[in-house]
């Protein structure tokens, strides 16, 4: 159906134009479209304009649209073209929508809303604690702030109407509620996630990190903030954060220990907490810093099975027996080759997995060739080759060069070709030690990759995305709950990344293009979203999130 015009020429040469409402029908014989006149509006110079405007508004009302008559008599004058809006309609503000829409949808899909709402209902509480926890978690993924910053600044920057009216006190009370029911929440959410994504939970990867505080003294007895060696190499008051994840990087559970807790001391607690979840098995995966005889014995008692990276250059058994083992590698991927090496007999035997990455080996070889060329240039340009010369002292103190240098009996500096050949033995290789005879060669080789997933999770938690530190809490229960809120944010982040196969920072950049503008006049206010960018629409489609309506909310102002 459409509005068409027809023209007729009079005998005096004048031309008369008519408006008609018509629609096309197919001729039963010729099958060609033929216009059928439904209504004649008459001559254009005698047209009843108000009648057409009323018809337009009637159709628009059915379609949920608004017609602005810029030349209407009821407005008194034509709308100023530079305004673009009726004179009494004002734009109040524009806020972000895409990221919080995604986070809120995944919050509900992962069962977090139901879990927290059930707890609030069971305890007969009236405050919107579930909404407060959503706001604090979403903030970690959007623009990390303190709890005061979330309440005072961030909520007003996003379209999250269900969190309007939250009070700062309610956020702290919500954290205490989470702390009291943390075991129930973590178990419900994990199994909801496992069922939703059909996760493989036969292997659980575990590691620890530290979160430091900008204070001078540690807390009193039985508190969490204690002096310890941070993973970054500093010394100061801190807490130890332990994290268990699946091979996909989905967080299973987290723990918070006092800052002076050693890695081995955490294992028994972790094993006991996971035992009740009926997982396939909890395989303890850790880096070479955990690999010592005492630690392996403790891990075997507390955790049962372990998978530990080894220091290849400092363990004689690995240098003599593992690296020199003859035989082909099993190729799993272009960048992952592996073979099994058994050293010893009977119960005292050790099972090693020698892994090899050809691409990394070539990169390390080229890097070493470049370093040797720099060393040769330095040695050739200095006539004084004695090791006591200042330039020689600088080279011997350099972490980059000292491993390839040696001092002769005559106190001269030279390049040691034997050290270069020895370094080449380790190119692209790493060795893993395990006491689990049932784990396959591929799973053991991928265990190191699993450990890298945890490291990536810790980077997101501490520095790149969620920014767990600095912490603004000193009460132990609030410190623990803050860490767990960050882990919930990590869970949502990883679920979104696995669904879209993109890192969160790229997804967030596209989602931030979806915004909502608040319009207001003397009688109403409404919220209108902007047009979707193709990349934003594609992310919402991959996440199976329904595209929101154009007009999100209309309410009367008086």
């Amino acid at each position: 159906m459409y509005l068409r015009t027809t023209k007729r020429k009079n005998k005096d040469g004048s031309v008369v134009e008519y408006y008609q409402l018509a629609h096309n029908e197919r001729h039963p014989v010729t099958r060609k479209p033929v216009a059928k006149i439904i209504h004649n509006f008459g001559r254009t110079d005698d047209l009843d304009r108000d009648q057409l405007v009323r018809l337009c508004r009637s159709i628009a009302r059915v379609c949920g649209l608004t017609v602005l008559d810029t030349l209407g008599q009821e407005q008194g004058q034509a709308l100023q073209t530079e305004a673009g809006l009726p004179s009494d309609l004002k734009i109040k503000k524009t806020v972000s929508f895409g990221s919080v829409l995604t986070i809120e949808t995944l919050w509900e899909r992962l069962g977090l809303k139901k879990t927290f709402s059930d707890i609030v209902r069971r305890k007969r509480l009236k405050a919107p604690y579930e909404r407060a926890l959503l706001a604090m978690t979403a903030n970690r993924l959007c623009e990390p702030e303190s709890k005061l910053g979330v309440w005072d600044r961030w909520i007003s920057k996003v379209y999250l109407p269900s969190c309007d009216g939250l009070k700062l006190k309610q956020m702290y009370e919500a954290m205490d509620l989470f702390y009291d029911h943390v075991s129930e929440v973590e178990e419900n959410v994990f199994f909801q996630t496992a069922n939703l994504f059909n996760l493989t939970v036969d292997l659980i990867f575990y590691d620890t990190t530290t979160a430091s505080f900008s204070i001078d003294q540690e807390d009193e007895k039985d508190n969490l903030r204690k002096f310890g060696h941070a993973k970054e190499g500093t010394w100061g008051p801190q807490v130890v954060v332990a994290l268990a994840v699946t091979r996909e990087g989905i967080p299973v559970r987290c723990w918070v220990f006092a800052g002076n807790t050693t890695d081995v001391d955490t294992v028994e607690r972790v094993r006991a907490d996971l035992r009740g979840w009926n997982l396939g098995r909890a395989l303890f995966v850790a880096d070479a810093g955990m690999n010592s005889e005492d630690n392996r014995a403790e891990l075997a008692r507390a955790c049962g099975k372990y998978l530990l990276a080894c220091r290849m250059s400092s363990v004689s058994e690995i240098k003599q027996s593992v690296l020199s083992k003859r035989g082909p590698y099993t190729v799993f991927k272009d960048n992952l080759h592996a073979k099994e090496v058994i050293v010893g007999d009977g119960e005292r035997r050790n099972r090693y997995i020698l892994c090899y990455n050809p691409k990394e080996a070539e990169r390390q070889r080229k890097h070493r060739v470049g370093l040797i060329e720099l060393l040769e240039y330095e040695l050739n340009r200095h006539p004084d080759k004695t090791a006591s010369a200042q330039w020689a002292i600088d080279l011997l103190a350099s972490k980059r060069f000292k491993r390839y240098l040696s001092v002769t009996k005559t106190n001269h500096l030279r390049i040691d070709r034997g050290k270069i050949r020895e370094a080449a033995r380790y190119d692209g290789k790493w060795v893993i030690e395990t006491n689990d005879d049932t784990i396959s060669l591929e799973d053991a080789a991928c265990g190191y990759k699993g450990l890298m997933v945890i490291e990536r999770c810790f980077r997101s938690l501490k520095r790149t995305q969620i920014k767990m530190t600095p912490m603004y809490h000193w009460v132990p229960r609030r410190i623990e709950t803050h860490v767990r809120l960050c882990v919930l944010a990590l869970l949502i982040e990883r679920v979104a990344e696995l669904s879209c196969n993109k890192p969160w920072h790229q997804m967030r950049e596209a989602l931030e293009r979806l915004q909502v503008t608040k319009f207001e006049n003397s009688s109403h206010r409404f919220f209108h979203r902007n047009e979707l960018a193709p990349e934003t629409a594609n992310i919402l489609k991959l996440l199976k999130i329904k595209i929101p309506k154009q007009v999100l909310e209309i309410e009367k102002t008086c």
Side-chain angles (χ1 to χ4, degrees):
M1 194 175 297
Y2 56 93
L3 191 68
R4 78 170 196 165
T5 61
T6 59
K7 296 180 180 180
R8 181 175 62 84
K9 188 174 182 180
N10 296 325
K11 292 181 180 180
D12 58 0
S14 61
V15 177
V16 181
E17 190 173 10
Y18 297 87
Y19 281 144
Q20 297 172 330
L21 183 65
H23 79 100
N24 289 339
E25 291 184 350
R26 195 170 294 280
H27 193 278
V29 178
T30 63
R31 309 305 296 169
K32 293 183 178 180
V34 178
K36 181 178 180 179
I37 306 303
I38 298 174
H39 179 74
N40 284 300
F41 292 102
R43 292 172 51 161
T44 56
D45 52 350
D46 294 333
L47 185 67
D48 186 353
R49 183 180 181 279
D50 292 340
Q51 182 185 5
L52 279 179
V53 171
R54 286 194 299 271
L55 177 61
C56 291
R57 287 176 173 166
S58 177
I59 296 173
R61 185 166 57 252
V62 174
C63 298
L65 302 175
T66 301
V67 174
L68 298 178
D69 184 8
T70 60
L71 300 176
Q73 296 299 319
E74 67 276 9
Q75 292 185 3
Q77 58 181 1
L79 187 70
Q80 295 180 3
T81 56
E82 65 271 18
L85 292 171
S87 58
D88 65 336
L89 188 62
K90 307 295 183 183
I91 296 178
K92 304 301 289 185
K93 65 176 179 179
T94 299
V95 295
S96 175
F97 182 41
S99 295
V100 291
L101 170 66
T102 300
I103 295 166
E104 185 175 16
T105 303
L106 294 178
W107 175 272
E108 296 177 4
R109 192 177 298 170
L110 295 172
L112 286 161
K113 180 177 181 179
K114 182 180 184 303
T115 299
F116 286 120
S117 297
D118 289 346
I119 294 172
V120 171
R121 194 179 305 111
R122 190 167 65 240
K123 296 182 72 68
R124 299 181 181 179
L125 302 172
K126 300 298 182 182
Y129 293 136
E130 180 268 331
R131 294 287 91 183
L133 291 167
L134 166 63
M136 290 184 285
T137 303
N139 172 257
R140 308 315 302 180
L141 289 168
C142 296
E143 188 180 331
E145 290 257 19
S146 65
K147 306 304 177 289
L148 175 60
V150 174
W151 169 76
D152 185 45
R153 296 182 293 272
W154 180 75
I155 287 181
S156 62
K157 297 179 181 178
V158 298
Y159 182 73
L160 201 58
S162 60
C163 294
D164 290 343
L166 280 177
K167 299 177 181 178
L168 181 60
K169 179 182 178 181
Q170 293 171 344
M171 292 188 173
Y172 290 116
E173 291 172 348
M175 294 179 71
D176 295 339
L177 182 70
F178 186 9
Y179 177 82
D180 293 336
H181 299 83
V182 63
S183 297
E184 175 186 350
V185 172
E186 288 186 330
E187 186 170 358
N188 288 347
V189 172
F190 171 72
F191 283 106
Q192 172 71 13
T193 308
N195 293 333
L196 187 63
F197 292 92
N198 194 27
L199 295 179
T200 302
V201 293
D202 59 334
L203 298 178
I204 299 296
F205 300 102
Y206 171 83
D207 201 359
T208 62
T209 190
T210 55
S212 303
F213 295 82
S214 298
I215 56 177
D216 296 327
Q217 300 295 327
E218 66 179 14
D219 288 336
E220 299 296 329
K221 186 178 180 181
D222 298 330
N223 278 4
L224 291 175
R225 300 187 298 182
K226 299 291 184 181
F227 277 108
H229 286 286
K231 297 294 183 178
E232 294 81 8
T234 59
W235 171 265
Q238 63 180 17
V239 295
V240 174
V241 177
L243 185 65
V245 304
T246 66
R247 65 177 73 199
E248 295 86 1
I250 297 291
V252 176
R253 194 165 182 174
C254 73
W255 297 263
V256 182
F257 301 97
N260 56 0
T261 307
T262 62
D263 286 347
V264 175
D265 292 336
T266 67
V267 177
E268 187 173 359
R269 161 81 180 280
V270 170
R271 179 63 174 174
D273 287 347
L274 291 177
R275 188 179 292 117
W277 286 18
N278 297 319
L279 301 175
R281 63 173 179 264
L283 181 67
F284 190 99
V285 183
D287 57 21
M290 280 283 293
N291 197 343
S292 68
E293 186 174 352
D294 293 339
N295 288 354
R296 289 194 298 270
E298 181 64 27
L299 288 172
R301 286 194 298 268
C303 193
K305 304 300 181 181
Y306 57 77
L307 192 67
L308 302 176
C310 301
R311 292 188 177 94
M312 295 183 293
S313 59
S314 60
V315 180
S316 59
E317 188 173 70
I318 293 176
K319 293 174 64 176
Q320 297 171 6
S321 302
V322 178
L323 293 177
S324 60
K325 176 71 175 181
R326 295 180 177 274
Y329 289 94
T330 302
V331 179
F332 298 110
K333 300 177 183 177
D334 291 342
N335 62 345
L336 181 58
H337 303 181
K339 62 181 174 182
E340 183 179 27
V341 181
I342 304 297
V343 179
D345 298 315
E347 295 183 357
R348 298 183 64 86
R349 70 192 183 100
N350 293 324
R351 185 188 183 199
Y352 295 100
I353 309 298
L354 176 59
C355 303
Y356 177 63
N357 183 343
K359 295 180 180 179
E360 179 64 16
E362 179 63 17
R363 187 197 68 81
Q364 292 177 356
R365 186 192 66 80
K366 290 181 178 179
H367 178 70
R368 185 172 53 255
V369 168
L371 290 181
I372 299 304
E373 290 177 353
L374 287 175
L375 277 176
E376 290 175 343
Y377 171 77
E378 285 294 321
L379 265 67
N380 290 333
R381 77 186 188 95
H382 291 284
D384 183 8
K385 300 293 192 297
T386 57
S388 56
Q390 184 59 52
W391 68 271
I393 294 175
D394 292 339
L395 284 180
L396 288 171
S398 169
K399 292 183 178 180
R400 296 179 65 196
F401 301 115
K402 66 179 181 180
R403 60 181 302 190
Y404 304 118
L405 297 171
S406 62
V407 180
T408 64
K409 294 181 179 179
T410 58
N411 197 35
H412 281 70
L413 192 65
R414 71 178 183 88
I415 297 176
D416 194 324
R417 302 296 172 179
K419 291 182 178 180
I420 296 175
R421 289 190 296 270
E422 178 66 17
R425 295 183 63 197
Y426 306 106
D427 286 351
K429 296 177 182 178
W430 67 92
V431 176
I432 301 169
E433 181 179 2
T434 180
N435 66 339
D436 188 353
D437 292 331
T438 64
I439 188 172
S440 67
L441 180 62
E442 182 177 9
D443 281 341
C446 291
Y448 186 81
K449 300 292 184 182
L451 187 61
M452 298 301 290
V453 168
I454 295 183
E455 293 299 328
R456 186 248 184 231
C457 291
F458 280 144
R459 282 196 301 274
S460 179
L461 273 175
K462 295 176 65 175
R463 291 186 293 275
T464 60
Q465 303 287 346
I466 300 169
K467 298 181 181 178
M468 182 170 62
T469 55
M471 291 191 203
Y472 301 97
H473 305 284
W474 60 272
V475 179
R477 68 176 186 277
R478 299 271 171 82
I479 293 173
E480 290 193 37
T481 307
H482 171 78
V483 172
R484 289 189 166 90
L485 285 172
C486 292
V487 173
L488 287 183
L490 176 65
L491 170 64
I492 293 173
E493 175 189 304
R494 290 297 299 142
V495 167
E497 290 177 338
L498 291 172
S499 299
C500 297
N501 197 27
K502 288 184 178 181
W504 172 254
H505 71 90
Q506 291 184 7
M507 296 172 60
R508 182 189 165 198
E509 182 179 349
L511 290 170
E512 288 296 315
R513 298 172 191 166
L514 176 57
Q515 299 177 337
V516 170
T517 301
K518 179 182 177 181
F519 294 87
E520 188 174 311
N521 63 10
S522 58
S523 60
H524 289 81
R525 72 170 60 95
F526 67 94
F527 295 86
H528 189 282
R529 70 164 175 84
N530 64 346
E531 295 297 326
L532 279 176
E535 187 177 359
T536 306
N538 183 54
I539 290 177
L540 295 179
K541 181 180 179 181
L542 292 173
L543 292 171
K544 299 180 181 178
I545 297 176
K546 185 178 179 180
I547 294 177
K549 297 181 295 183
Q550 197 83 35
V551 178
L552 298 170
E553 184 182 353
I554 301 178
E555 57 186 25
K556 291 186 176 181
T557 57
C558 59

